[in-house]
Amino acid sequence: MPTSSAFEDRYKTLNASQRAAVDTIEGPVMVIAGPGTGKTTILTLRIANILLKTDTAPENILALTFTESGVYAIRKKLVSIIGNAGYRVRIHTFHSFCNEIISQYPEYFPRIIGGSSIEAATQLSIVERIVEEGSFTFIKPFGDPYYYVDTLIRTIRDLKREGVSAQELRTYAEASLVTLRGDDTQYNKKTGKLKTDAQTIEKKLERTLELATVYEAYQAALAERVAYDFEDMILEVVHALKQHEELLQTLQEEYQYLLADEHQDTNNAQNQILELLASFHESPNLFIVGDEKQAIYRFQGASLENFLYFKGRYSTAVLITLETNYRSTQTILDTAHELILNNVVDDPMLRARLTAGGGDDGAPIAVYEFSDERYEDQFIASHITERLAAGVPAEEIVVLYRNNGDIVSLLPYLERAEIPYTLYADRNLLTERDAMRLLTLLRAVARPLDDTLLSRVLHMDFLGIDPVDAHRMVVHAKDAQVAVADVLLDEGAPIAYRNAQALDTFRANFLRWTTRVHDENPLTFLEGLLRTSGLLQQVLAGDGAYERLAIIDSLFNELGKVVAGKPYATIEDVLKHIDLLEAYKIRVPVKTASHGSGVALMTAHRSKGLEFTHVYIRGATDKRWGGKTARTYFALPFDVLSDTVRDADERRLFYVALTRAKETITITYGLQSADGRSLLPSQFIAELKQELVSYEDGKAVEANLPGMQGAYVCAPAPTASSAHDVQYLRERFLSQPFSVTALNNYLSCPWQYFFRNLIRLPSTYSKHQQYGSAMHNALKLFFDAYATGKNPTAEELAGHFSDSLTRSVADPALRDELYVRGTEALRAYVDTWQGTWPRELKTEYTVHGIEFPFAEGVLTLTGAMDKLEFVDGHHVNVVDYKTGKPKSRNALMGTTKGSDGDYHRQLIFYKLLLDKLEHAEYVMDTGTIEFIEPEHGTCRKEVFAITPEEVEALEAQLRTTASD
């Protein structure tokens, strides 16, 4: 329950409209919340008010938002108001919510439960095969049969976001063709043929029919693989809620209050989730927050109509408009408002003008026109330098741009001016230097007779080979007309090497690598290649280690997807995966920090929800900001973006960029690009409120810019300092949940914790892990049935295990091996303990958000318990399954030689979590380690009574670990 004082302190600061939004807790409510009007504040205070004024439990409130950063912002503010109860309120993105529903109610999702998510490369290979093997006329050009593959995938993604199935698409296309061909007005009276425009539509519809065929085959391929794509998660939940009334009623009873943040960014499938959950009551407790003017995610399927539809759907909805902005000056707000008036919206409620809460008119919008984009970049660097010298914190300055590539040319100028910055970019893994070097080395080892690859490798600095030696070797191979690898491995080659020792080391490594490359698991081999080549040591020893490790981490994650989907994957499978990504120019994102120090550099899309004192909008030219055209290949049963609609979306994005500013906005553009193309200013500049715009003399500024010399400045790629690395690692450590597994890894080996838990460098998913996962899932299903009063048999338990193996283990031979071992163990388990289990129990009980303070901050503890057995009231015995070889009691406690005490520590950790639960929901009397593997046909278990002293000792150990 929230404390009234914490709520009241914040409530007193609200204006009348904000209070109305917080106080109206019953029935449908729609809040138009423009930028800087405090929407997160009112949303969180409304949740607190519901808890204060009703007997609703935190778990019965569901808040859905668009991004993970939105979830974090709401959760953080909510916890500051109501304390730990804020962790129990269900706050999700739409995808994480659907994922949770699928996990909790697997029986309603037979197609995808136990399956795996597919990635871009797998989608490409599936659709390539469908097109290759299919008989298509319109989407399989003779000269380039794969021309439409990428477009097909993107369109299927759009169809799923709109909730359109393959059959619905086919029905739409067939009906549209009948209508078109039966319309006499569409025919030329002289020729008797369809008019040109009608022929274009006809061809699109015929293409659409073939798209429907590909869509159907794609879904069938996913079903065959027991796989799903990102969009399927929401579609499956929508389908289940429509088909299974009991599931819908269960969720409707569970979630009594629904809140949706950033609702203008939801797509049709996401909106159906909301409407279905709210459908029980004619006037549901549904709270929608959004702003038509900030609807910028249509490229992800967002549909503005979903937001506008709300008013019509719920006629009794209370409509509240927040009109006071507490961020920007009145000049900024009026200029942005004038811009957005060019978007035609009939509803006057969506045209509300924002008023600056501070009452400050502020400086006019500064617009600079330069003859060349190079002058533009140098000006931005120079202007920021002046602001920093005047005492403006670097973190209060942002440079916004339309596309990721638009910022590249600015970076050297910032480097030369020694301006600290953080680049918030969706960087492409496959263009990052360390990833490219490791992949080149891997390719050279897998294909040793490729002279081009090996020649590149010989010149890589981390190998320590003298460049002259590398050059001599390549030249000698060419002159002798032999492979470079032959010269490398020929110790008697007549070459006078300057550093023979480095070459000898590489020669020995290369021979060992080429011998093993096709025999080892690809991830295992790549990990060894990373270490023994010297690349990892170079990364760890230099500045920017954290950033470079993130790149390597992302590469292992990407390649791990290949191995996870194919347990006996080879190096060639891995390299084919990379080749496919490169061929289709698929961007593989690099995991980067979500925050940092210095001037912020980011796309306008990424700036949504943020604010800065000074905003620079770079590259404000036509075709970059507005004025874009796009060709559409298909006719779809929803609005495809026309050029007018596309410009309206771009205008909203420019509006978002403007309203990030608190005090000043500087807009810049050049009339010529780096490659000599002529450029025009964006139409949006002319649409600003002109009396509030100051057009500066860019030509005069150019004459005073020092050191231009008509060329770009060259500088090395930015790297973070060691102190910066430490700060990032510290922030990462504190920002992620800390489990007993992480603690055990740290105590076993700090480097193991560093790679597995902090940096999360992935390791191979071994057969033991696959086995353990299937065993745990089978036991969960078994005891879930047992808790309802049923008496499942050992055969049913074995059946659950078999189903789990089928879904998680791709290789038939391995599946058979694990099945024989597992079913024997599970039958012995049931024979040993049947009749001893209490009926009242919970499976897979998870505790989130337990705050654990230590000297330098607060850890967030988390843990998942296999089973809670209720002993008396809320007193429980915590059971932890172990699928490995049984251990003695002393070994479990860590008192025997070579034992670590991890299992016993795990039970103590669980007691610590349960002790710190709000209202002492469960009291852990004992903890039990149950070994599923039998000894001589019988299973063992060890029961421990955890003492307060053991918990205190663990707390001390946690504090020491956290402070290290």
Side-chain angles (χ1 to χ4, degrees):
M1 182 66 66
T3 59
S4 57
S5 60
F7 173 82
E8 290 296 334
D9 288 344
R10 289 166 174 80
Y11 185 81
K12 290 175 184 175
T13 66
L14 303 181
N15 61 41
S17 297
Q18 290 174 325
R19 289 187 181 186
V22 171
D23 290 337
T24 311
I25 61 177
E26 301 297 328
V29 179
M30 183 179 187
V31 178
I32 311 294
T37 55
K39 67 179 181 61
T40 304
T41 296
I42 63 153
L43 192 145
T44 50
L45 284 177
R46 187 176 189 272
I47 293 173
N49 205 24
I50 292 169
L51 295 174
L52 276 170
K53 293 184 177 178
T54 72
D55 59 358
T56 305
E59 294 86 353
N60 298 132
I61 300 174
L62 174 64
L64 295 170
T65 189
F66 189 63
T67 63
E68 289 292 348
S69 59
V71 171
Y72 175 78
I74 295 170
R75 177 86 66 194
K76 182 179 180 182
K77 186 162 285 191
L78 186 59
V79 170
S80 73
I81 297 171
I82 65 176
N84 280 345
Y87 288 109
R88 294 162 53 201
V89 174
R90 313 311 295 165
I91 306 173
H92 287 282
T93 64
F94 281 91
H95 276 93
S96 70
F97 173 69
C98 289
N99 187 49
E100 183 169 284
I101 297 303
I102 292 168
S103 299
Q104 288 182 344
Y105 303 96
E107 62 273 22
Y108 295 105
F109 305 95
R111 189 184 80 77
I112 66 171
I113 195 64
S116 58
S117 174
I118 65 165
E119 302 299 327
T122 307
Q123 288 180 305
L124 285 167
S125 63
I126 290 173
V127 175
E128 271 193 352
R129 192 188 73 249
I130 292 169
V131 171
E132 182 181 347
E133 295 176 356
S135 177
F136 298 105
T137 303
F138 301 98
I139 61 169
K140 191 177 180 180
F142 178 76
D144 187 359
Y146 300 132
Y147 178 81
Y148 287 101
V149 166
D150 191 40
T151 304
L152 288 165
I153 291 173
R154 285 188 281 107
T155 309
I156 289 171
R157 190 177 300 138
D158 290 339
L159 288 162
K160 289 187 176 186
R161 287 168 173 166
E162 290 295 329
V164 178
S165 69
Q167 183 55 51
E168 288 169 335
L169 178 66
R170 182 177 299 283
T171 300
Y172 163 80
E174 289 173 345
S176 298
L177 273 173
V178 170
T179 301
L180 177 70
R181 290 167 176 167
D183 185 351
D184 293 340
T185 64
Q186 297 297 327
Y187 288 86
N188 185 302
K189 292 182 180 178
K190 290 184 178 180
T191 64
K193 297 180 179 180
L194 285 171
K195 296 177 181 178
T196 302
D197 288 346
Q199 287 181 27
T200 301
I201 297 172
E202 181 184 44
K203 184 168 288 187
K204 285 185 179 182
L205 287 167
E206 288 172 328
R207 249 189 237 117
T208 301
L209 283 173
E210 294 190 346
L211 166 64
T213 300
V214 174
Y215 190 179
E216 289 167 346
Y218 172 72
Q219 290 300 100
L222 293 187
E224 183 180 348
R225 292 168 177 251
V226 194
Y228 53 90
D229 60 28
F230 191 68
E231 285 70 36
D232 277 333
M233 292 175 63
I234 288 182
L235 285 180
E236 288 288 332
V237 171
V238 169
H239 178 76
L241 293 179
K242 288 180 176 179
Q243 296 296 316
H244 302 287
E245 187 175 349
E246 67 277 12
L247 174 62
L248 178 60
Q249 289 181 353
T250 297
L251 295 177
Q252 287 173 335
E253 291 172 7
E254 182 174 357
Y255 301 118
Q256 299 165 19
Y257 288 86
L258 305 172
L259 303 94
D261 189 22
E262 302 284 9
H263 186 256
Q264 79 279 350
D265 288 331
T266 61
N267 58 44
N268 190 49
Q270 292 166 335
N271 207 53
Q272 286 186 64
I273 296 285
L274 270 178
E275 191 168 349
L276 285 163
L277 291 176
S279 63
F280 184 79
H281 296 286
E282 187 63 31
S283 184
N285 295 326
L286 176 58
F287 185 78
I288 297 294
V289 184
D291 180 20
E292 178 270 343
K293 296 185 287 294
Q294 297 185 81
I296 63 172
Y297 284 104
R298 195 187 296 259
F299 71 95
Q300 291 189 356
S303 175
L304 183 58
E305 288 68 29
N306 290 330
F307 183 53
L308 305 180
Y309 161 81
F310 182 92
K311 282 179 60 185
R313 172 66 180 82
Y314 302 103
S315 58
T316 61
V318 176
L319 184 63
I320 299 169
T321 303
L322 304 184
E323 299 180 351
T324 304
N325 173 288
Y326 295 96
R327 174 189 300 156
S328 306
T329 66
Q330 195 61 52
T331 293
I332 292 171
L333 297 177
D334 287 348
T335 305
H337 185 73
E338 187 80 7
L339 169 77
I340 209 67
L341 286 177
N342 289 278
N343 280 359
V344 180
V345 176
D346 296 332
D347 195 327
M349 294 303 296
L350 300 177
R351 317 306 291 162
R353 184 184 298 271
L354 294 175
T355 302
D360 182 12
D361 286 344
I365 311 302
V367 176
Y368 289 81
E369 177 184 278
F370 296 98
S371 60
D372 191 295
E373 285 188 323
R374 294 173 291 179
Y375 286 111
E376 176 187 10
D377 286 333
Q378 193 177 14
F379 163 75
I380 292 173
S382 175
H383 207 251
I384 291 174
T385 298
E386 292 175 7
R387 284 204 155 120
L388 296 177
V392 175
E395 292 75 20
E396 285 298 317
I397 300 173
V398 67
V399 180
L400 300 179
Y401 40 92
R402 179 61 182 85
N403 304 303
N404 279 305
D406 295 342
I407 198 64
V408 174
S409 63
L410 175 62
L411 301 183
Y413 293 98
L414 299 179
E415 288 287 321
R416 188 177 69 169
E418 297 183 348
I419 295 172
Y421 66 85
T422 297
L423 178 61
Y424 297 82
D426 298 325
R427 295 155 61 185
N428 184 6
L429 170 69
L430 300 182
T431 61
E432 293 291 335
R433 182 168 178 257
D434 286 322
M436 291 171 68
R437 292 198 297 173
L438 186 54
L439 285 173
T440 300
L441 178 57
L442 180 63
R443 282 176 166 132
V445 171
R447 302 160 185 170
L449 296 182
D450 188 321
D451 286 352
T452 301
L453 288 172
L454 186 52
S455 298
R456 290 176 185 170
V457 166
L458 288 169
H459 288 86
M460 291 179 175
D461 59 356
F462 60 87
L463 295 172
I465 298 172
D466 190 298
V468 174
D469 289 344
H471 181 69
R472 284 174 176 166
M473 185 178 296
V474 173
V475 170
H476 180 74
K478 183 177 180 181
D479 292 343
Q481 296 185 344
V482 296
V484 175
D486 290 336
V487 179
L488 171 65
L489 298 176
D490 182 5
E491 298 184 43
I495 304 174
Y497 294 122
R498 296 177 6 152
N499 186 352
Q501 183 178 355
L503 267 173
D504 288 342
T505 301
F506 178 68
R507 180 182 295 114
N509 281 336
F510 189 75
L511 185 59
R512 186 174 68 255
W513 294 334
T514 53
T515 302
R516 297 179 179 177
V517 64
H518 297 292
D519 294 332
E520 292 187 7
N521 175 281
L523 287 186
T524 304
F525 180 80
L526 190 62
E527 183 182 353
L529 192 64
L530 177 65
R531 284 186 293 101
T532 57
S533 66
L535 178 56
L536 181 60
Q537 289 85 336
Q538 185 192 75
V539 168
L540 292 174
D543 288 342
Y546 176 84
E547 303 287 350
R548 296 176 69 182
L549 278 170
I551 291 165
I552 294 172
D553 182 17
S554 298
L555 179 59
F556 271 83
N557 270 315
E558 183 62 31
L559 301 185
K561 296 168 188 173
V562 182
V563 177
K566 189 176 182 181
Y568 287 100
T570 66
I571 285 293
E572 283 304 318
D573 292 322
V574 165
L575 293 179
K576 285 178 183 176
H577 177 83
I578 296 297
D579 291 343
L580 193 63
L581 293 175
E582 291 176 341
Y584 283 95
K585 296 181 175 59
I586 301 297
R587 177 179 292 274
V588 181
V590 178
K591 293 190 294 185
T592 56
S594 60
H595 57 283
S597 58
V599 174
L601 312 175
M602 64 181 68
T603 62
H605 275 106
R606 191 153 189 160
S607 72
K608 181 82 174 290
L610 303 178
E611 62 182 30
F612 302 88
T613 302
H614 303 288
V615 169
Y616 293 82
I617 301 178
R618 185 204 173 278
T621 55
D622 188 49
K623 300 296 187 290
R624 183 182 278 150
W625 294 90
K628 297 180 180 179
T629 58
R631 183 179 178 185
T632 56
Y633 296 105
F634 304 103
L636 304 176
F638 48 82
D639 289 337
V640 179
L641 298 187
S642 65
D643 291 343
T644 301
V645 172
R646 191 179 299 278
D647 270 348
D649 285 351
E650 290 290 313
R651 190 173 287 110
R652 292 188 188 94
L653 184 61
F654 204 77
Y655 175 88
V656 167
L658 293 170
T659 54
R660 298 312 93 199
K662 292 189 271 188
E663 294 182 9
T664 73
I665 297 173
T666 304
I667 301 173
T668 64
Y669 61 91
L671 294 176
Q672 183 171 289
S673 67
D675 57 7
R677 288 181 298 108
S678 296
L679 303 173
L680 294 172
S682 168
Q683 69 187 67
F684 301 149
I685 295 175
E687 293 176 359
L688 302 176
K689 194 168 188 176
Q690 294 300 295
E691 58 265 36
L692 299 180
V693 177
S694 173
Y695 289 93
E696 306 296 332
D697 189 350
K699 299 291 194 308
V701 172
E702 289 177 12
N704 295 316
L705 290 174
M708 180 65 186
Q709 299 176 351
Y712 283 104
V713 178
C714 294
T719 57
S721 66
S722 297
H724 185 64
D725 293 337
V726 171
Q727 177 189 350
Y728 268 147
L729 292 173
R730 190 76 182 160
E731 289 172 350
R732 182 160 184 165
F733 171 68
L734 291 176
S735 66
Q736 61 189 27
F738 193 76
S739 67
V740 68
T741 302
L743 175 62
N744 285 338
N745 282 337
Y746 180 86
L747 295 174
S748 172
C749 171
W751 278 108
Q752 179 172 294
Y753 166 76
F754 179 78
F755 283 112
R756 290 189 182 178
N757 302 99
L758 193 59
I759 300 301
R760 296 184 180 175
L761 196 64
S763 57
T764 307
Y765 193 52
S766 69
K767 73 174 184 179
H768 302 293
Q769 292 171 308
Q770 293 172 314
Y771 176 72
S773 176
M775 292 287 272
H776 277 72
N777 187 56
L779 288 164
K780 170 184 166 44
L781 295 174
F782 178 84
F783 281 111
D784 282 346
Y786 182 81
T788 63
K790 298 178 182 177
N791 291 300
T793 64
E795 291 306 315
E796 289 176 283
L797 178 55
H800 292 318
F801 177 66
S802 177
D803 291 342
S804 298
L805 282 178
T806 301
R807 289 176 174 141
S808 62
V809 180
D811 182 67
L814 177 60
R815 194 160 58 231
D816 291 343
E817 174 193 336
L818 298 182
Y819 175 76
V820 172
R821 175 185 166 190
T823 51
E824 179 183 339
L826 290 172
R827 289 189 180 100
Y829 176 81
V830 173
D831 289 343
T832 303
W833 303 117
Q834 193 166 35
T836 66
W837 306 302
R839 287 286 182 184
E840 191 177 357
L841 54 85
K842 282 182 178 285
T843 61
E844 294 190 4
Y845 182 74
T846 303
V847 176
H848 296 293
I850 300 298
E851 294 186 345
F852 184 82
F854 65 103
E856 291 84 11
V858 178
L859 272 181
T860 302
L861 304 183
T862 187
M865 302 162 211
D866 290 337
K867 185 172 61 170
L868 299 186
E869 295 180 342
F870 290 85
V871 180
D872 181 22
H874 60 297
H875 288 253
V876 297
N877 170 52
V878 176
V879 176
D880 196 69
Y881 307 130
K882 299 299 176 188
T883 55
K885 184 179 179 181
K887 297 184 179 181
S888 69
R889 186 177 184 87
N890 288 335
L892 293 174
M893 298 184 71
T895 58
T896 60
K897 184 178 180 180
S899 62
D900 50 28
D902 284 358
Y903 289 176
H904 186 240
R905 187 182 300 110
Q906 195 167 356
L907 296 179
I908 302 172
F909 191 89
Y910 291 154
K911 180 166 177 59
L912 171 63
L913 291 178
L914 293 176
D915 285 351
K916 290 185 177 295
L917 270 181
E918 192 176 8
H919 307 311
E921 190 171 359
Y922 300 116
V923 177
M924 178 176 168
D925 291 335
T926 55
T928 300
I929 302 293
E930 287 191 353
F931 293 101
I932 310 302
E933 297 293 316
E935 278 185 330
H936 310 297
T938 304
C939 294
R940 280 200 313 107
K941 65 180 177 183
E942 293 288 344
V943 182
F944 297 89
I946 309 301
T947 67
E949 291 76 18
E950 288 173 321
V951 175
E952 290 176 8
L954 178 62
E955 289 182 335
Q957 197 170 40
L958 275 170
R959 292 189 183 94
T960 300
T961 299
S963 299
D964 281 351

